[in-house]
Amino acid sequence: MNARQTLIRGGLVLVENARFAPVSLLIEAGRIAALIEDGDGPPDAQVIDATGRIIIPGLVNGHTHSHGALGRGGVADDATLETFLAGASALNGGRTVDDLRLSAELSAAEMIRKGCTACFDLSVELPGPSVAGIHAVAEAYHAAGMRAVVAPMISDRTIYQALPGLLEAFAPQMRAALAAITLPPWQDSLATCKAAFAAWPVPMDRVRPGIGPAIPLHCSDDFLTACAQLADALDLRLQTHLAETRMQQVAAMRRYGTTLTAHLHSLGVLSARFSGAHGVWLSADEAARLAGQGAGIVHNPLSNLRLGSGTAPVRALADAGVTLGIGTDASNTSDGQNMFEALRLAATLSRAGGDPPDTWIGALEAFRMATEGSARIMGLADVGRIAPGWAADMLFLDRDYCHYVPLRDVLSQIVFAENGAALREVMIAGRIVFSDNRVLTLDEPALATRVRAAAARLDAANTDTRVMAEAAATVVRSFCHAACAAASHP
Ligand SMILES: [Zn+2]
């Protein structure tokens, strides 16, 4: 037996566009070596019997946060992005390097279970990044067998420094306490990132570094420019949260006198390496600027609904030529990382505004965003399609499951009905990492025990921070509401 070759036989495979065919797949060195229409393939290859399976490329999560997994359930019912950010240190503060690793393992386990084979992770460590913390997250993805861009999420302004006028909305005592919170100088954070990238702890083929200036308003201009220069110098992908809320555009007009994207453009930050997460409040001018620079936007429909951020103008962005991907955002802000849900919402939400059907996001268009689109944003040119030379990242769905009985339009039934319930196996780089309802690369029961203990310890340690955050949230909410109500744009 040639152990270096695997032959997947008997499956119904997505071979191009929306066309499925009963072909065999020859896998070698983590890649798809050939699609075999007739015949048996090499006699000495290891055989995987995929009879009764529908085989599609793995879903690619273009935007998430591994730290969110350990914060699951910790977001208030009525949280907006801004009140969530005001309380973020109560969820993410006080974590050890082991906690960061643990959260990334938990996050990876969830994504694999829900059919995601690669992700762009903006992972935060408070008050600032450490080499050990960045490496712990990279090691967690490597051990889980996932593909990932690990981009430390960094800022040099708190939300109180980021939003002009916010601090002044607080009573003096609270204002003084909030004004005293500071983040490390950006030069220190970037130096730490550089050191972490120079001594990258795992092979770069699956898990590679990126850079994540959190939100433009939360980063000084020199910092943003330095991040873009670092991305160019080291060939990294850069992702930020772009126009996630109307408040961000209102604050951009106050701080910059222009839109977020126009400001980033003037700084030279936009490029083919650049992607913005969310992009809910982008204008036509901003879409044109992004497209002109080859930049991307990652659509996070469920998170945008959960936090009341709005509905992204996906059709307008696509028509402008912006590269589009789909993401889940973190397990706290969208309460889970189910790429099948994100995929379905990307298609269905485009129909919610009463626009004509020829402007809706179709099943194939949404599916491409959730596979090749997100992969392009991650810088992965050979991920997201089942074709010779492409990565062997694939999902095996049970065609006897109710979603596929009867089976008429396979891709439509996947996009509009699948939620992960029919997922039986997951392959990443030619290796099966999920089978028999078990993630094979992680000890999930032991992980759950560690997670419960860590969450109890962190919740107890962060009690005072949480009380202060809840008090601050009331003022943040009314400030944002008044600022948006008073603005005549966008
Ligand atoms: Zn995010």
Side-chain angles (χ1 to χ4, degrees):
M1 175 182 287
N2 185 345
R4 293 182 301 118
Q5 288 187 319
T6 302
L7 188 69
I8 304 172
R9 265 202 315 233
L12 185 61
V13 181
L14 179 57
V15 290
E16 65 173 335
N17 297 324
R19 188 170 76 84
F20 285 76
V23 300
S24 298
L25 298 168
L26 186 65
I27 310 300
E28 190 171 351
R31 295 184 175 280
I32 298 160
L35 276 63
I36 302 170
E37 305 245 358
D38 302 303
D40 296 331
D44 54 353
Q46 180 187 357
V47 172
I48 293 177
D49 181 6
T51 303
R53 297 286 190 259
I54 296 165
I55 302 177
I56 60 173
L59 301 178
V60 180
N61 192 346
H63 176 70
T64 190
H65 305 277
S66 59
H67 58 264
L70 203 45
R72 190 194 300 281
V75 177
D77 195 329
D78 60 355
T80 62
L81 177 74
E82 283 76 20
T83 62
F84 167 73
L85 291 173
S89 57
L91 271 183
N92 302 320
R95 292 193 183 181
T96 64
V97 168
D98 280 345
D99 293 331
L100 300 173
R101 183 191 312 275
L102 182 62
S103 198
E105 289 174 351
L106 183 64
S107 192
E110 180 182 18
M111 282 189 269
I112 289 170
R113 278 195 164 273
K114 296 173 181 174
C116 171
T117 52
C119 74
F120 200 134
D121 178 12
L122 268 63
S123 144
V124 82
E125 180 175 4
L126 295 177
S130 72
V131 171
I134 297 166
H135 285 183
V137 174
E139 286 162 358
Y141 283 115
H142 177 73
M146 269 189 78
R147 221 175 276 284
V149 170
V150 173
M153 186 167 77
I154 44 185
S155 318
D156 64 343
R157 292 187 190 131
T158 67
I159 188 169
Y160 305 104
Q161 296 162 333
L163 299 182
L166 175 56
L167 262 185
E168 290 69 31
F170 285 88
Q173 194 179 356
M174 187 83 161
R175 186 188 311 160
L178 295 171
I181 304 170
T182 55
L183 293 170
W186 64 264
Q187 293 89 342
D188 292 358
S189 297
L190 270 195
T192 301
C193 291
K194 281 186 205 170
F197 301 163
W200 200 240
V202 298
M204 296 270 268
D205 55 343
R206 275 194 297 103
V207 181
R208 57 183 68 174
I211 190 83
I215 300 171
L217 291 156
H218 294 233
C219 302
S220 56
D221 288 352
D222 287 347
F223 180 20
L224 289 165
T225 308
C227 285
Q229 287 167 350
L230 183 67
D232 276 345
L234 300 183
D235 190 19
L236 305 175
R237 294 282 150 165
L238 182 156
Q239 189 171 91
T240 188
H241 293 80
L242 186 64
E244 180 172 351
T245 61
R246 181 154 180 254
M247 183 66 234
Q248 290 182 354
Q249 285 291 29
V250 168
M253 208 55 79
R254 286 188 187 183
R255 181 180 285 280
Y256 307 132
T258 186
T259 62
L260 289 158
T261 310
H263 183 66
L264 293 179
H265 196 187
S266 73
L267 293 177
V269 172
L270 304 184
S271 73
R273 302 179 188 289
F274 175 94
S275 56
H278 302 276
V280 176
W281 293 89
L282 291 173
S283 64
D285 170 74
E286 291 177 282
R289 290 173 188 270
L290 291 164
Q293 298 299 314
I297 289 290
V298 182
H299 182 33
N300 293 269
L302 187 56
S303 169
N304 296 340
L305 292 173
R306 166 68 151 99
L307 297 176
S309 303
T311 304
V314 181
R315 171 53 61 211
L317 293 168
D319 287 350
V322 177
T323 303
L324 290 167
I326 292 176
T328 61
D329 217 353
S331 297
N332 46 14
T333 52
S334 64
D335 309 281
Q337 296 176 99
N338 189 327
M339 276 299 294
F340 283 110
E341 280 181 358
L343 167 62
R344 175 161 51 166
L345 263 178
T348 52
L349 197 56
S350 69
R351 298 143 204 250
D355 294 326
D358 62 357
T359 67
W360 296 352
I361 303 298
L364 178 59
E365 193 175 14
F367 190 79
R368 282 194 175 135
M369 288 179 200
T371 50
E372 291 174 63
S374 293
R376 270 181 69 191
I377 283 170
M378 288 177 65
L380 307 173
D382 53 1
V383 167
R385 205 186 283 185
I386 297 180
W390 288 59
D393 295 3
M394 292 180 283
L395 310 182
F396 298 68
L397 302 168
D398 180 357
R399 66 184 288 178
D400 291 330
Y401 193 75
C402 52
H403 298 160
Y404 308 109
V405 182
L407 193 61
R408 289 198 173 91
D409 183 334
V410 190
L411 193 72
S412 168
Q413 287 171 257
I414 289 168
V415 171
F416 290 113
E418 188 54 67
N419 55 6
L423 184 66
R424 296 293 174 266
E425 291 90 18
V426 176
M427 172 179 276
I428 306 175
R431 174 189 185 195
I432 297 284
V433 297
F434 176 77
S435 176
D436 296 323
N437 198 29
R438 285 179 52 227
V439 177
L440 305 179
T441 46
L442 291 162
D443 181 345
E444 289 179 283
L447 183 60
T449 302
R450 289 160 58 212
V451 164
R452 290 184 190 109
R457 169 173 48 79
L458 291 167
D459 284 352
N462 288 325
T463 301
D464 291 348
T465 317
R466 189 161 51 251
V467 170
M468 185 159 160
E470 283 166 5
T474 310
V475 178
V476 171
R477 181 180 297 113
S478 59
F479 169 83
C480 292
H481 182 76
C484 289
S488 55
H489 54 81

